[in-house]
Amino acid sequence: MIVVDDVYKRYQTDHGPGKWVLQGVSFTIPPKLNVGLVGCNGAGKSTLLRLIGGIDTPNRGRIERHCRVSWPMGFGGGLQGSLTGRQNAKFVSRIHGHEDDIPERIAYIQEFADLGDAFDEPVKTYSSGMKSRLHFGLSLAFDFDVYISDEVTATGDAAFRTKAAAAFKELTGHASLIMVSHGEGTLKQFCTAGIWLNEGKAHWFDDVRDALGAYKDSQTVSEPVSITFGQSGDNAEQIEKEAEQARRLEAVLEMLQQGKNGTPVCVEFEEFKGVVQTAKKAGIELASEGQIAKRGYQLKPDELPVLRRRAPEPINKLVDLYDLHTQCVKAKKE
Amino acid sequence: MASARTPAVITLSVWKALFLREAVSRISTGRAAWLWLLLEPLIHIGVLLIIFIIFRMRTVGGIDTTVWLMVGMMAFLTFRRTATQSQNAVDSNRGLFTYRQVKPVDTVLVRAVLEGFLAMIVALILFCAAAFWGASGLPYDPLSLLEAFLGLWLLGLGFGLITSVAGDLIPEVGNVIGFIMTPMYFASGVIFPVAQAPQPYRDWLLLNPILHGLESARLAFSPYYNAAPNLSIAYLYGFALTLIFLGLILHVRFSAKLVAQ
């Protein structure tokens, strides 16, 4: 069982104390329960894992670990570059009190990490994927009650991910997981409960899907993108207009890419026949409000289509307008 | 895995693991890293010896120049290597604090012990080689020699404990120490006999605990040496233990801050 009680954490910056990363976080993780941590970048997920892992101390509040907790795997740290994978493995075995059965541990790590000859090469020559293989193998070689994983599988290849998934599955029953992942599938696959970190607060959900839902709701764009196309005209103008539309769409695409991953973005059109073509070329799906976009969807002239990225779920919020059109006009005049 | 290891057991296993790891990287990284451990004092002594020969100084303070230089240099290096290596211990092992079993103070202590070992081995090799080729005799009072070296090592440890914390919290400290070390080399009487310094400057120089260690070591090696007066090995030990005490306090106080990123 892990008890996190009213924990506050902030870091020292070059100009005085920074802003609070965690503000009064409290929860209790019961034994044998897999928990997924969600929240946007900088919400304090890794900080919380470090605190739970005991490698950092909270400014206020307390954390109690009534079980054996692994170190947070997936961090860059913990491996010394100038030493080989084998030497690093020996070191970790020793500090965890496995002086006597180093050969067995090493054999397990070697087999799991599957690095081949690289196991006897200095770690600084490893790729990031190889490092995470070693890291993962290292932590699985020891019996912990709780394993802490910070995006450890993110850099591995497909074969390794499958292996890691199998290893995680095997753990259920005698050990639990606390994991941070931006992969929704991974979280749903392994975690039962979820914690959503937002603005320094932690929200506990008994079902990880609710946590993901709350997280996604908070992620709806605050700065929506909208283009108003329209103004009928003759043929010569039409060509000019289509070119203009293409340019605007590119601008929208750019904004979409800068936006958060998987975020639905709504763009309203007054007229869109040409837009559909351009959009298809640009890899954007067009859909009416509330409908799931699919390839070749036909828009009716009087409908307001919604431009969105390929997100797995339908849009539930239509956002305010942001008139890019006026910006384009302004830019042209200048 | 044992259900619950006591803190002492954990610390001991961490020390052992760190020691082996440090030893491997200190001795085996780079080409013939171990050779340089031996060559550094050898070259130092050699160069200085040539200078002394040019000035026709066969003896210093009544003993052979080779012995005087060799013992002084090894004693000083014992202090300096321990101090600088343990000063950098926290920084170079930062990645290891991912394992909560490893505390910053562990890395400093382990490095100091490793440097102590290495200094002992290098000194033994040098002294034996010098005795073998007739450049010097065997030490007259080995126990006092050990006492002086141990004192200097403790001083290096205390120095390293303090600077490892201070250097991390106030980066400028590193610069200051960098330019203090060179005058220290002269003020410790490595290359000139302090006994010949005029008053009141000699008394000022004698405030430096390293000097006490160096002169005591030379005196232990050959009893006919005209050492600086008022030598006190107790002063060296008192100084060293005070520094260690202060250093440990700093580590207790700022341990969490050193680990934080």
Side-chain angles (χ1 to χ4, degrees):
Chain A
M1 190 167 77
I2 294 172
V3 181
V4 175
D5 184 22
D6 197 28
V7 163
Y8 284 73
K9 180 69 188 174
R10 65 177 169 190
Y11 289 102
Q12 196 72 27
T13 65
D14 288 341
H15 22 266
K19 70 179 188 67
W20 290 105
V21 184
L22 300 175
Q23 275 181 297
V25 169
S26 301
F27 54 84
T28 302
I29 301 178
K32 304 214 179 4
L33 182 74
N34 292 352
V35 184
L37 231 59
V38 294
C40 57
N41 296 339
K45 300 187 295 291
S46 294
T47 301
L48 189 56
L49 286 191
R50 283 171 62 84
L51 292 174
I52 293 174
I55 51 174
D56 212 340
T57 45
N59 296 90
R60 252 197 283 166
R62 69 199 165 86
I63 290 172
E64 286 173 23
R65 294 180 293 271
H66 300 290
C67 51
R68 293 164 301 182
V69 181
S70 84
W71 66 91
M73 24 167 169
F75 277 98
L79 298 172
Q80 180 153 319
S82 61
L83 299 183
T84 66
R86 186 186 300 278
Q87 286 167 331
N88 273 294
K90 278 188 187 168
F91 173 78
V92 178
S93 302
R94 287 201 181 99
I95 60 169
H96 286 91
H98 287 281
E99 184 70 40
D100 306 329
D101 54 349
I102 284 182
E104 291 103 89
R105 305 283 158 180
I106 300 271
Y108 177 86
I109 295 164
Q110 196 168 7
E111 198 259 309
F112 190 92
D114 197 15
L115 293 169
D117 296 337
F119 195 59
D120 287 308
E121 295 291 326
V123 168
K124 65 185 167 200
T125 64
Y126 288 17
S127 70
S128 58
M130 286 159 81
K131 264 186 211 157
S132 71
R133 276 162 176 259
L134 181 58
H135 235 119
F136 203 62
L138 275 175
S139 54
L140 287 178
F142 307 100
D143 299 319
F144 292 111
D145 294 321
V146 179
Y147 292 83
I148 305 179
S149 155
D150 191 357
E151 292 267 25
V152 74
T153 54
T155 47
D157 57 21
F160 176 65
R161 276 167 198 241
T162 326
K163 206 172 187 177
F168 274 150
K169 269 266 149 15
E170 220 169 88
L171 289 179
T172 34
H174 61 93
S176 65
L177 265 176
I178 301 176
M179 79 185 323
V180 164
S181 177
H182 285 284
E184 226 175 276
T186 320
L187 286 171
K188 280 182 187 161
Q189 191 182 355
F190 298 113
C191 300
T192 319
I195 295 171
W196 171 45
L197 277 178
N198 187 40
E199 290 168 0
K201 300 272 183 227
H203 307 270
W204 176 275
F205 295 87
D206 286 335
D207 190 334
V208 72
R209 276 167 297 190
D210 295 338
L212 280 166
Y215 165 57
K216 265 192 274 173
D217 276 350
S218 76
Q219 284 285 288
T220 317
V221 202
S222 49
E223 272 181 58
V225 186
S226 161
I227 315 175
T228 313
F229 294 99
Q231 303 105 16
S232 52
D234 58 31
N235 265 355
E237 270 178 7
Q238 192 68 37
I239 297 161
E240 160 72 14
K241 221 173 74 185
E242 270 187 14
E244 177 69 34
Q245 280 172 353
R247 274 198 294 274
R248 285 182 211 161
L249 260 174
E250 266 170 47
V252 173
L253 253 186
E254 216 165 273
M255 294 178 99
L256 286 173
Q257 270 153 7
Q258 282 164 4
K260 278 147 193 157
N261 219 2
T263 310
V265 176
C266 307
V267 181
E268 292 195 358
F269 296 92
E270 283 174 14
E271 186 268 307
F272 44 84
K273 269 178 198 154
V275 180
V276 179
Q277 293 301 320
T278 327
K280 263 179 105 175
K281 271 183 228 154
I284 302 170
E285 297 187 73
L286 291 175
S288 297
E289 190 185 352
Q291 275 181 299
I292 304 169
K294 57 185 178 221
R295 203 171 273 280
Y297 182 78
Q298 284 297 303
L299 295 159
K300 291 183 186 129
D302 52 346
E303 278 177 351
L304 270 183
V306 179
L307 177 66
R308 62 191 287 264
R309 299 184 77 186
R310 285 165 211 254
E313 267 145 0
I315 305 155
N316 42 26
K317 276 184 193 168
L318 218 153
V319 284
D320 301 347
L321 299 182
Y322 172 91
D323 201 348
L324 192 72
H325 183 241
T326 47
Q327 278 196 343
C328 288
V329 172
K330 257 188 207 164
K332 247 184 182 176
K333 276 179 187 165
E334 277 167 16
Chain B
M1 195 176 191
S3 54
R5 295 186 289 160
T6 61
V9 173
I10 294 174
T11 306
L12 280 177
S13 59
V14 166
W15 284 354
K16 185 174 181 191
L18 274 174
F19 184 83
L20 291 169
R21 167 199 191 95
E22 286 283 350
V24 166
S25 47
R26 184 98 166 94
I27 294 169
S28 71
T29 38
R31 204 156 33 178
W34 57 272
L35 190 63
W36 288 106
L37 290 175
L38 203 59
L39 280 183
E40 192 200 344
L42 214 57
I43 293 171
H44 261 239
I45 296 167
V47 170
L48 288 172
L49 205 55
I50 290 170
I51 296 173
F52 275 75
I53 287 169
I54 291 171
F55 285 103
R56 293 177 186 274
M57 287 178 70
R58 300 261 165 71
T59 60
V60 179
I63 63 168
D64 191 56
T65 309
T66 319
V67 174
W68 185 81
L69 269 178
M70 181 178 71
V71 178
M73 184 62 74
M74 273 321 298
F76 183 72
L77 283 184
T78 303
F79 162 77
R80 196 176 68 181
R81 279 188 179 168
T82 309
T84 50
Q85 283 291 318
S86 46
Q87 179 191 342
N88 300 327
V90 173
D91 226 26
S92 26
N93 288 306
R94 199 159 286 281
L96 298 184
F97 302 137
T98 303
Y99 311 105
R100 65 175 168 280
Q101 292 85 349
V102 184
K103 301 290 175 209
V105 69
D106 295 331
T107 64
V108 179
L109 293 174
V110 165
R111 268 214 172 172
V113 171
L114 176 66
E115 279 317 306
F117 261 103
L118 291 176
M120 207 163 74
I121 293 167
V122 172
L124 266 179
I125 293 174
L126 267 182
F127 292 167
C128 288
F132 182 74
W133 278 294
S136 74
L138 288 169
Y140 168 77
D141 187 353
L143 276 182
S144 301
L145 188 67
L146 264 179
E147 190 188 26
F149 270 77
L150 182 66
L152 285 166
W153 176 75
L154 284 174
L155 192 71
L157 169 62
F159 192 82
L161 277 171
I162 292 178
T163 51
S164 58
V165 180
D168 201 84
L169 299 180
I170 317 159
E172 289 79 7
V173 169
N175 298 339
V176 175
I177 289 163
F179 62 70
I180 276 182
M181 269 300 179
T182 317
M184 222 35 156
Y185 185 83
F186 294 101
S188 305
V190 181
I191 56 170
F192 78 94
V194 173
Q196 289 172 16
Q199 286 290 23
Y201 308 108
R202 193 171 69 203
D203 281 349
W204 295 0
L205 285 173
L206 277 168
L207 289 175
N208 175 7
I210 307 170
L211 179 62
H212 288 263
L214 251 69
E215 291 286 284
S216 302
R218 286 170 179 150
L219 195 59
F221 210 93
S222 40
Y224 307 113
Y225 175 52
N226 290 328
N230 302 326
L231 280 190
S232 160
I233 199 84
Y235 177 66
L236 171 65
Y237 273 78
F239 210 106
L241 293 179
T242 312
L243 288 190
I244 292 174
F245 180 68
L246 283 175
L248 289 176
I249 287 181
L250 283 176
H251 268 277
V252 169
R253 171 67 184 79
F254 292 109
S255 173
K257 225 170 192 173
L258 291 180
V259 174
Q261 285 173 332

